[in-house]
Amino acid sequence: MTKVIINLTVNGKALIAEVEPRWPLAEFLRDHLRLTGTHVGCDSSQCGACTVHVDGIAVRSCTLFAVQADGCDVKTIEGVSSGNALHPMQKAFHENHALQCGFCTPGIIMSALDLVRREGYELSEETIRYNLEGNICRCTGYYNIVKAIAAGARAMRAGAVT
Amino acid sequence: MYAFDYKRPATLEEARKALEGVAESKLLAGGMSIVPVMRYRLAQPSALIDLGKVAALNGVSEANNTIRIGAMTTHYVVSRSEPIRSKIPALAQLAGGIGDPLVRNRGTIGGSLAHNDPAACYPSSILALGAAIHTNRRDIDADNFIVGTFTTALEPSEIIVAVSFPPPDCAAYIKFINAASRFSIVGVFVARRHGAVRVGITGAGHYAFRCGPIEQALSAKFTPEAARAVRIPADGLNDDIHGSAEYRAHLIPELTARAVEHCLAGTPGAII
Amino acid sequence: MYVGQSLPRPEDFRFLTGRGNFVDDIKPPDCVYLAFLRSPHAHAKIVRIDAKPALACSGVLRIVTAEDWTKAGLGKLVCVHPMPFTDGRPMREVLRPVLASGEVHHVGDVVAAVVAETRYQALDALEAIDVEYEPLPAAVKTGTALDNDAPIVHKQFGTNQINEIMRGDKTATAAAFAKATHTVGMTLTSNRVAGSPLEPRSYVADYSPPTDQCTLWATTQVPHMLRRWICRYALFIPEHKLRVISPDVGGGFGQKVNFCVEISTVVWMARELKRPVKWTSTRMDALLSDTQARDHVSKAEMAFDNDGKILGLKVDTIAALGAYLSNFAPSIPGNSYPQTITGLYQTPALDLRVRCVYTNTVPIDAYRGSGRPEATWVNERLLENGAREIGIDVVEMRKRNLIQRSQFPYKTPVGRTYDSGNPPLLLEKLVALAKYQELRAEQKRLRAKGVLMGIGIAAFLDKSGTGPSKQLSTRGGLHGGFESATVRVHSDGKVTLYSGSHSHGQGHSITFAAIAADRLGVPVEDVAVMQGDTDTVPYGNGTWGSRSASVGGSAIYRASEKIMVKATRLAAHLLEADVAEIVYENGLFSVRGKNPSISFAEVADAAYHGARYPDDPGFEPGLEVTIFYDPPDLNDPEAMHLAVVEVDRGTGRVKLKQYFTIDDMGTIINPMIVEGQVQGGLAQGVGQAMMEHVIYDDEGQLLSATFMDYAMPRASDMPALKSDYICTPAPSNPLGVKGGSETGTIGPPAAIGNAIVDALWHLGVRRIELPFTPHSVWQALRVAGAGE
C-alpha cells in the first residue's frame, strides 16, 4: 500500500502532506495537522461531530478520506472565526446557551453554516430542526441550538457574512 | 480500517481500466455506504477507485421526455433539480429525504443503487418508475437490476453511468422512518403512468421489490381504500428490532394508501 | 447580585472555536496505543488464549491478559456503594477482574489488551490473538434471571440474586389492599438504555521513571475518586504518585463516573512500558462496555378508596445489574429507586421488594435520573390507570393525593423524609401553563374527527445533593459525600476557586463564580474556577447525583464566608476599628458612619504583605481557605410534566405535540443554565420514552451495537416545550439550592406513556411497553383488538 502526496488548503493555508489512503480526513486533521476542534463521536457516520467544509460544502470528515481532499479547500471550525472575533453564528450560540459540553458544537456550527448557504438567512424552526438530522447533541435538547441558528443566520445577513 | 490503494481517474475509461486492473478493487462514489462498512472492517477492498472527478458522470438532463441523472449526481442536487421537481417531484422528495443533509451533500444515485441496501430509498423508485440503469456496457431495466440483498445485476467492473426515468402521470414516496438509522422501516413509492400502477417497496424485505397484489388492486381502482384492503403475507419480510414481519406486512398497504392519497392530492409524499 | 442572573459562560469561547482540550486531543510525544480484545460470547469459559501470533505483528509492544495481571500481583475493581440485604446479610459481590479471568460474563467483556506503536497496528494485532472459548448458557432476560432453571452468571453463588431490599410494611399494605374499593395492577418494564455521551471515553497515561510519577488524563466526572480507586484497588500504588487530570469532558451523565475496566490497564501499561499510553473508545466499544442503565421488571399494584385516594402501593421489582457490579450500581435500584417510589403522593402503606440480579449483560450503573425514572414509571402509570378506571380526571386524582405544603418535612413510608416542597402549587402551575381544560376540549373535538390525541401527566420527586457521608457509610459506602472548596484570594484581590466537583457541560465555572462573587463582593469576572486536577484541587467526590450546586456550591459559599470573616478582621485592624463597626458594601470596607474605606483588593494586598497584622493569636498571613463541606441532608427537587401526543392509528407512530414542565429546584443560581439542564435531560427522557433501547437477543448478543440500531433523539424528535419554575428552598444548605439537572429524564416515560394510554383508552388500550416505538404502540392496539 503506497502513501499518497496530497495538496490542499486548510483554513486558507496551502499545504502538502503524505498520507495513507485509509486515513479519514478527520484523523488527518486531528492527529497530523493537530486541528483538534473537529471531533469523532461515533463509528457509523451519524453523529456529525466531525463535520467540516470541503470546497464549501459540509461533509462528515470521518467518512471522507484525506486523499479525497487532494486539490480541495478544507475549512474546519478553527477557520470560522478570524482573530479573536467570533463569527456571528458562534456568537449566537454563546448568547443563546446553545452549547453545554461543547463536543458536538464544532460539527453543529459547520452544519449550521452549510444550512445558511443552502437555505438562506431566514430559517424557520421546522427547517432548522429538519436540517439538524445529521447532528446529534446529547446535552442541550436542541432547543437553544435551534434558537441560536435562527439568530446566527439573521446576524450573518446583517453583517453580510458567509 | 484495512489499508488499501487509492486511484482517482479523470475519465470513465480510466476508471474502468483501474477497476479491471486491480483485483478486489471497488468503486468509491459518495462513500456514504462503503466507508462505514470499511470502518467496521467488514469490507477489505484492495483499492478504491474514486469516481469523484469523472465529470461525465455528473448532472441532470432532460431529453425525449425522459429525465437522465448522472450516476455521481448527489442526492442534494437531485432534490433541487428543476426538471426533476417539475416532472417527477416524488423523486426530488425521495432524494431530499435520504439520510440527512451531510449524507445528501455526498451520497449519489449511482452509489446507492450499486450498493443496493435493502432499506435504501432509490431502489423503490427505480422499480415504481420503471427506470433504466445505463452502464458503461449496456442498459438494464429496473425490473432486472435488483437481484438480491446488496446484490445487483452489475457484472464485475461494470460501472453505472446514468439512470433515466420516464416521468409518471403522478407519483408519491412515503418513507416510514427508522429513528436510529434514518433509513426506512418501510418505504413505498407509488407511480401511475397511462393507467398502469407500479409500487416499489423498500425496507420490508431482503431487497426492494414490486408488490404485485397492490399494483393490481390500484390499477383496477386507484384509491387509498383499494390499497388498504390488500392483505400482504408476513412470510419473507424482515423481522428485526425495529419491527416484526407482521408489522411490516401491515405497513405496506397502509403506507401505499397514504402514497395514493398524495398522488390524488398532487403532492409528492412525506417522511412519517 | 449575581446569583439569580443568567450569566453567560466563559468556557464557551474555547468550545466554539474548536480549542477545547478533550482527552483524545492529547497526544504526548512517543505515545503508543492500546486496543482491547472483547468477548464475542455472553458467557463462556476461556479455554486458551494464544497471543503469540499477535506478538509477532508489526509494531506490537505488549499483550496482556488476566494471567499477566495476576502475576503482577494487582487487584480487582470494587463496588464502592454496596447495598446489603435488608436482613443484614452482605450482598453477593464478585470483585470485577480488570481482564476477564477464567470466564467471560458478557459480550464485550475485556479478554486481552494490545499495546502497539500505532492504533492501526494495535487493531491489526487484535485480530491475530487466538482465543478458544467454551460457550456456557447465558442468563439474559431480567424477568427470568431468578427462575429455577435460569443459567447462573457466577456459579459460586448458585443464584443470580445479588441482594434483596425490603421497604415499608407488608402487613399494613396487605390490610390496605384488603379494604380497597379499587386496585390497579400491572407488570411494568423499564427499558435498558445507554447514556452515550457524545465524547467516547478516552485515557492517556504518562509515566515518568525519574519521578516515579504517573499522570492520567481521563474522561472522568470524579478525578479524585478515580485516582483513589486505581491506586487502592487496582494497582496498589500510593495516591500521591498518580495525578489524574480531567480536562474538558464531552458529556458524562454517569457513564464517566465509573471505575471502568479499561482505565487501570492503560495506567498499568504506561508504568510498564515507560511511554505514554492512549486508549480512546470507539462507539462500539462504548455500547459494549460503558455502563448501561435502568432495566427493571416490576409487578406493581396500587390500592384506592372510592374517592381515588391511594391506600397502598405494592411493588416487586427485579433489577438487572449486569455481569459485574459497577461501583454505584446496587444503590440505584437499592436506594435511589425505593426512596422515590411513592413520589409526591401521600401513600399510607408501602410494600416494596427489590431484588438485584446478575445477568450476562453489560454492567448497569448510574445514569442521569438513576432510579427515579424507574420509580416514576411505576408510580405514575398505576395512578393514572387507577384514575381512569375509577372515572376521576387525572388532574383531580393528583389533587386528592398530593402531599400538601404544610406536610413538609414529609416522612415517607420508605423512611426518607422529604425536605421541602409545594406539590399542589406545581400542579396548579402545570394546569395553567398547559391550559389543561382547553387541551381536554381539543381532545374531544379531535376524537370526533378520528384523531387520537392524548394527555398524560407525571408528578415526581427527584433526590439529589448526595449526600451526608454518614448516611452513605451506613449503607456500607466506601466513599464520602462531602465536597471540597478552596477560595484563594490573590494579592491583587482577584480570586481563584478550586472545586472538587467537575463540569462536563453543566457550567460550574460561572455558577461557582457567581456564588463566590456575591459572597465576597467582587466582580464575577474577577473569579476564576479550577477543577479536575488532583494535584491542585483538594480531594472532592466529583460530579454525579445532582450534587455540584448544593454540595459543591455550598462548599464554595462556606469557604467564601470564612474568607470574609478574615478579611473583615484585617480590614478592621487596618481601619483601626472593631469588627462590629465594619460595614462592607460595593467591595469597600468602612467604619459605620465614617469616611475612610479600604477595598477588598487592598485588604488582600495587606494579607499577603504580612506587615500590618492584628495581634490575634493564630492570625496568619494570606487570604485563602480550604474547606471540606459535608451536607447535613440530601435535598428533594420536585417536578411535574404534562405531555400531549397524537397517535397515528395506522402506523402506531406517536407524535409529541407539546410538553410542559414545572420544576421546583429551590434557589436557582443561573436560570439559563438550569433551563439548559431541564431541556437536555428532557431529550434523554424523550429518548428513553420513544426510542432508546439496548437490546440483547436470547443468547446475550447485543443487537443495538451502533447508532444505526440504538436510536437517540434528533432535533426534529423534540416536542414544543414550555417550562416554568417554583421555589421552595432547600433547608439544608446555605444557598437553598436543590439539584437541577435530572428532572428532565425522570418524567417523560410516565408522562408520555400516560398520554398514549389516554389517547387509546377508549379503544381498549390499558398498557404500553417502553420504548413507545411505532411497533410497540401498534402491538398495544392489536392486543386491545383495536388495530387497523
Side-chain angles (χ1 to χ4, degrees):
Chain A
M1 178 248 14
T2 26
K3 272 192 168 172
V4 177
I5 305 278
I6 58 173
N7 286 266
L8 68 165
T9 316
V10 179
N11 295 331
K13 216 160 90 172
L15 55 96
I16 302 176
E18 199 184 19
V19 300
E20 284 187 38
R22 67 172 157 179
W23 294 351
L25 179 61
E27 187 181 310
F28 174 66
L29 293 168
R30 289 179 53 73
D31 288 352
H32 300 275
L33 298 184
R34 301 302 284 140
L35 292 168
T36 55
T38 302
H39 299 144
V40 175
C42 77
D43 46 25
S44 50
S45 303
Q46 288 178 282
C47 77
C50 66
T51 308
V52 300
H53 294 175
V54 175
D55 288 344
I57 293 175
V59 298
R60 289 192 166 90
S61 62
C62 71
T63 316
L64 198 73
F65 297 107
V67 282
Q68 291 180 275
D70 179 36
C72 293
D73 181 22
V74 177
K75 186 160 164 185
T76 71
I77 186 70
E78 290 92 340
V80 170
S81 53
S82 58
N84 279 330
L86 289 179
H87 183 284
M89 186 60 78
Q90 292 168 317
K91 194 152 176 276
F93 270 62
H94 172 62
E95 286 165 356
N96 284 279
H97 187 42
L99 61 151
Q100 290 184 22
C101 82
F103 195 75
C104 74
T105 307
I108 293 202
I109 289 180
M110 301 313 280
S111 277
L113 294 173
D114 191 63
L115 173 57
V116 173
R117 171 187 70 85
R118 284 182 286 108
E119 302 286 349
Y121 298 114
E122 272 306 317
L123 299 169
S124 72
E125 184 181 333
E126 201 187 328
T127 299
I128 295 171
R129 286 184 183 276
Y130 181 66
N131 280 277
L132 282 173
E133 288 282 281
N135 292 90
I136 299 177
C137 172
R138 207 55 175 147
C139 290
T140 66
Y142 304 102
Y143 294 98
N144 289 344
I145 291 176
V146 173
K147 270 200 219 147
I149 292 176
R154 285 194 300 270
M156 283 169 69
R157 172 171 57 194
V161 174
T162 50
Chain B
M1 187 91 62
Y2 295 115
F4 56 87
D5 278 324
Y6 173 80
K7 295 186 196 307
R8 194 160 70 181
T11 68
L12 189 58
E13 183 52 21
E14 272 178 45
R16 181 198 61 78
K17 278 207 190 89
L19 202 54
E20 284 175 10
V22 184
E24 311 268 3
S25 59
K26 280 194 89 72
L27 293 171
L28 176 63
M32 298 295 100
S33 305
I34 195 173
V35 176
V37 163
M38 289 171 69
R39 277 236 297 289
Y40 286 125
R41 295 192 159 208
L42 294 173
Q44 198 175 355
S46 58
L48 286 183
I49 318 297
D50 184 353
L51 294 174
K53 290 291 186 215
V54 182
L57 298 176
N58 229 317
V60 179
S61 62
E62 197 183 343
N64 301 327
N65 203 34
T66 301
I67 302 278
R68 185 181 163 102
I69 306 177
M72 285 298 286
T73 311
T74 64
H75 307 324
Y76 176 68
V77 168
V78 170
S79 72
R80 302 287 262 226
S81 153
E82 260 318 300
I84 299 176
R85 284 168 83 140
S86 76
K87 294 277 166 56
I88 320 176
L91 192 61
Q93 159 78 18
L94 176 150
I98 296 176
D100 56 59
L102 299 169
V103 168
R104 296 193 283 275
N105 277 347
R106 292 278 314 161
T108 66
I109 184 169
S112 171
L113 289 174
H115 186 68
N116 197 34
D117 189 299
C121 295
Y122 269 123
S124 70
S125 72
I126 62 169
L127 292 174
L129 293 168
I133 290 87
H134 309 290
T135 78
N136 59 338
R137 284 185 206 156
R138 56 186 167 139
D139 300 329
I140 311 174
D141 276 342
D143 283 337
N144 300 324
F145 183 75
I146 297 169
V147 302
T149 315
F150 296 106
T151 318
T152 67
L154 292 172
E155 286 157 7
S157 316
E158 188 171 8
I159 304 171
I160 300 178
V161 171
V163 188
S164 57
F165 295 86
D169 298 333
C170 67
Y173 181 59
I174 299 287
K175 179 175 182 177
F176 190 65
I177 203 161
N178 173 328
S181 67
R182 299 332 235 202
F183 277 76
S184 331
I185 296 178
V186 175
V188 177
F189 201 111
V190 170
R192 193 181 191 201
R193 198 157 173 270
H194 305 331
V197 178
R198 292 166 68 111
V199 178
I201 314 278
T202 187
H206 301 310
Y207 44 88
F209 60 92
R210 283 175 60 186
C211 187
I214 291 191
E215 288 182 351
Q216 278 157 38
L218 288 176
S219 294
K221 197 157 189 238
F222 194 69
T223 64
E225 295 73 34
R228 270 198 190 94
V230 180
R231 286 280 158 270
I232 303 293
D235 316 316
L237 295 185
N238 293 336
D239 200 299
D240 58 28
I241 62 175
H242 303 291
S244 63
E246 287 80 20
Y247 183 53
R248 287 180 161 92
H250 163 82
L251 285 174
I252 290 173
E254 177 61 39
L255 300 176
T256 308
R258 298 189 194 204
V260 172
E261 280 164 15
H262 276 273
C263 282
L264 294 171
T267 48
I271 300 171
I272 63 170
Chain C
M1 271 291 281
Y2 293 112
V3 168
Q5 280 191 59
S6 291
L7 301 173
R9 309 182 333 161
E11 62 267 40
D12 283 1
F13 293 95
R14 65 179 186 274
F15 294 141
L16 288 165
T17 55
R19 286 174 179 86
N21 190 28
F22 297 92
V23 176
D24 190 59
D25 300 343
I26 295 167
K27 191 180 164 187
D30 209 30
C31 192
V32 297
Y33 297 85
L34 204 151
F36 289 101
L37 184 67
R38 298 186 183 279
S39 166
H41 299 286
H43 194 192
K45 204 158 119 188
I46 303 172
V47 175
R48 178 185 57 83
I49 305 178
D50 182 8
K52 270 208 279 314
L55 277 165
C57 286
S58 158
V60 171
L61 298 167
R62 187 75 72 97
I63 300 183
V64 289
T65 65
E67 198 184 317
D68 303 292
W69 180 274
T70 311
K71 255 203 216 112
L74 302 175
K76 291 190 173 194
L77 309 190
V78 171
C79 173
V80 298
H81 207 133
M83 280 301 300
F85 283 75
T86 298
D87 65 19
R89 284 178 288 156
M91 63 181 190
R92 294 188 179 102
E93 177 178 6
V94 66
L95 296 180
R96 180 168 194 177
V98 164
L99 293 153
S101 175
E103 276 186 18
V104 288
H105 292 101
H106 70 86
V107 171
D109 205 352
V110 177
V111 173
V114 173
V115 188
E117 295 284 351
T118 74
R119 214 168 33 89
Y120 289 110
Q121 288 170 332
L123 292 170
D124 287 343
L126 275 188
E127 294 182 6
I129 301 178
D130 182 29
V131 185
E132 190 188 331
Y133 297 99
E134 190 187 294
L136 297 167
V140 182
K141 304 290 175 214
T142 306
T144 52
L146 294 175
D147 287 1
N148 285 330
D149 58 354
I152 303 297
V153 178
H154 297 290
K155 56 180 178 291
Q156 64 265 42
F157 300 129
T159 171
N160 290 323
Q161 186 173 348
I162 296 165
N163 58 13
E164 184 179 63
I165 281 93
M166 318 277 282
R167 291 273 187 272
D169 185 331
K170 258 192 171 11
T171 320
T173 307
F177 273 79
K179 71 171 199 265
T181 37
H182 301 276
T183 61
V184 170
M186 271 190 265
T187 300
L188 293 147
T189 301
S190 191
N191 47 329
R192 181 185 276 241
V193 295
S196 302
L198 202 65
E199 178 206 26
R201 289 185 296 124
S202 185
Y203 311 101
V204 177
D206 192 1
Y207 175 69
S208 165
T211 56
D212 191 31
Q213 200 75 20
C214 193
T215 302
L216 169 66
W217 289 272
T219 49
T220 178
Q221 300 171 223
V222 293
H224 293 90
M225 288 221 273
L226 181 62
R227 181 183 66 167
R228 177 184 158 92
W229 298 334
I230 292 174
C231 291
R232 172 177 280 257
Y233 300 129
L235 298 182
F236 306 137
I237 56 180
E239 272 182 50
H240 69 293
K241 293 292 186 181
L242 175 63
R243 176 183 185 186
V244 175
I245 300 174
S246 189
D248 291 324
V249 173
F253 318 120
Q255 273 53 57
K256 292 171 180 166
V257 82
N258 303 316
F259 187 14
C260 303
V261 247
E262 296 90 350
I263 313 177
S264 307
T265 306
V266 175
V267 178
W268 179 40
M269 285 294 97
R271 291 168 60 82
E272 289 284 300
L273 297 170
K274 302 182 188 1
R275 289 175 69 179
V277 174
K278 180 168 177 174
W279 177 69
T280 298
S281 166
T282 64
R283 185 52 62 183
M284 191 173 277
D285 277 319
L287 288 165
L288 288 170
S289 182
D290 283 9
T291 52
Q292 297 172 351
R294 324 287 194 238
D295 201 347
H296 288 195
V297 177
S298 301
K299 291 194 176 54
E301 292 175 80
M302 198 177 262
F304 306 94
D305 70 14
N306 230 2
D307 294 322
K309 285 192 68 88
I310 301 168
L311 297 176
L313 174 64
K314 190 164 160 200
V315 184
D316 194 349
T317 297
I318 300 177
L321 292 186
Y324 302 100
L325 296 181
S326 181
N327 41 278
F328 289 177
S331 72
I332 310 302
N335 186 55
S336 301
Y337 171 72
Q339 285 199 15
T340 55
I341 190 79
T342 55
L344 295 180
Y345 305 126
Q346 302 176 52
T347 306
L350 170 71
D351 174 1
L352 170 69
R353 175 169 77 157
V354 179
R355 288 175 293 173
C356 298
V357 296
Y358 287 114
T359 56
N360 290 106
T361 58
V362 168
I364 293 253
D365 206 328
Y367 166 53
R368 202 172 192 174
S370 286
R372 285 88 80 196
E374 301 89 299
T376 304
W377 172 240
V378 169
N379 198 34
E380 288 295 80
R381 283 291 299 118
L382 291 170
L383 183 96
E384 278 216 3
N385 267 34
R388 286 195 194 87
E389 287 191 9
I390 298 171
I392 300 174
D393 171 83
V394 295
V395 167
E396 179 59 32
M397 190 72 166
R398 272 137 185 133
K399 277 203 187 111
R400 296 183 190 186
N401 284 288
L402 285 174
I403 303 166
Q404 298 300 302
R405 185 184 193 165
S406 56
Q407 291 175 291
F408 285 87
Y410 181 79
K411 185 137 202 264
T412 66
V414 133
R416 165 139 179 77
T417 300
Y418 298 159
D419 63 358
S420 67
N422 193 348
L425 181 60
L426 281 172
L427 184 64
E428 192 187 304
K429 290 208 97 162
L430 183 71
V431 165
L433 187 68
K435 299 199 176 94
Y436 179 71
Q437 297 304 340
E438 284 178 37
L439 285 175
R440 283 291 177 206
E442 192 188 346
Q443 179 182 42
K444 210 164 159 203
R445 268 194 317 272
L446 289 175
R447 190 172 287 179
K449 291 202 240 163
V451 175
L452 302 172
M453 170 180 157
I455 303 164
I457 293 175
F460 55 93
L461 183 103
D462 192 0
K463 171 184 84 71
S464 67
T466 311
S469 298
K470 281 208 187 70
Q471 244 183 54
L472 291 168
S473 77
T474 54
R475 294 198 290 276
L478 299 175
H479 67 91
F482 60 86
E483 201 42 80
S484 69
T486 297
V487 177
R488 174 174 298 162
V489 181
H490 301 283
S491 73
D492 63 353
K494 311 283 194 256
V495 182
T496 300
L497 309 176
Y498 295 81
S499 171
S501 59
H502 184 269
S503 175
H504 34 280
Q506 302 94 323
H508 289 177
S509 223
I510 192 65
T511 303
F512 292 160
I515 294 169
D518 273 356
R519 198 64 196 83
L520 301 173
V522 300
V524 74
E525 310 80 67
D526 288 351
V527 183
V529 179
M530 299 283 147
Q531 291 176 304
D533 184 339
T534 58
D535 260 14
T536 58
V537 176
Y539 194 106
N541 285 294
T543 294
W544 42 277
S546 290
R547 61 194 301 275
S548 296
S550 60
V551 188
S554 296
I556 301 270
Y557 184 86
R558 288 277 182 242
S560 302
E561 275 188 329
K562 285 192 165 179
I563 293 282
M564 287 316 296
V565 167
K566 183 168 184 179
T568 307
R569 178 67 193 96
L570 185 52
H573 177 74
L574 296 170
L575 292 169
E576 294 169 0
D578 278 330
V579 168
E581 299 175 278
I582 298 295
V583 164
Y584 183 59
E585 222 173 353
N586 300 323
L588 291 172
F589 295 93
S590 58
V591 181
R592 196 186 323 270
K594 300 218 181 105
N595 249 343
S597 63
I598 184 169
S599 70
F600 185 84
E602 284 170 305
V603 169
D605 184 61
Y608 287 98
H609 203 165
R612 291 154 61 199
Y613 274 5
D615 284 327
D616 307 0
F619 195 98
E620 298 173 353
L623 195 55
E624 172 173 325
V625 167
T626 295
I627 71 156
F628 295 86
Y629 172 78
D630 207 329
D633 194 7
L634 301 170
N635 55 70
D636 299 294
E638 290 121 20
M640 293 195 189
H641 290 183
L642 187 147
V644 181
V645 304
E646 246 174 56
V647 180
D648 181 329
R649 193 167 174 177
T651 61
R653 176 86 74 196
V654 175
K655 182 95 180 83
L656 297 179
K657 304 285 291 180
Q658 297 177 77
Y659 205 92
F660 303 91
T661 68
I662 308 278
D663 271 278
D664 180 359
M665 296 146 168
T667 306
I668 292 180
I669 299 170
N670 186 318
M672 173 192 85
I673 288 181
V674 162
E675 184 183 66
Q677 291 299 306
V678 171
Q679 293 173 351
L682 190 70
Q684 292 176 313
V686 164
Q688 175 175 14
M690 304 301 294
M691 59 185 73
E692 294 187 43
H693 200 178
V694 173
I695 303 178
Y696 290 92
D697 71 11
D698 291 337
E699 269 80 57
Q701 289 299 318
L702 182 62
L703 298 179
S704 48
T706 76
F707 286 165
M708 290 294 275
D709 290 305
Y710 186 78
M712 293 193 302
R714 310 300 206 267
S716 56
D717 295 315
M718 298 303 295
L721 174 68
K722 283 209 176 93
S723 298
D724 204 350
Y725 305 85
I726 69 170
C727 173
T728 60
S732 63
N733 66 68
L735 302 164
V737 130
K738 296 184 178 180
S741 60
E742 293 181 79
T743 57
T745 58
I746 298 173
I752 298 171
N754 279 339
I756 294 169
V757 171
D758 183 59
L760 306 178
W761 187 269
H762 66 295
L763 298 174
V765 171
R766 299 289 177 268
R767 294 194 47 211
I768 184 73
E769 291 292 336
L770 279 164
F772 314 131
T773 59
H775 188 228
S776 170
V777 174
W778 178 75
Q779 289 281 63
L781 282 164
R782 271 222 308 187
V783 160
E788 282 195 335

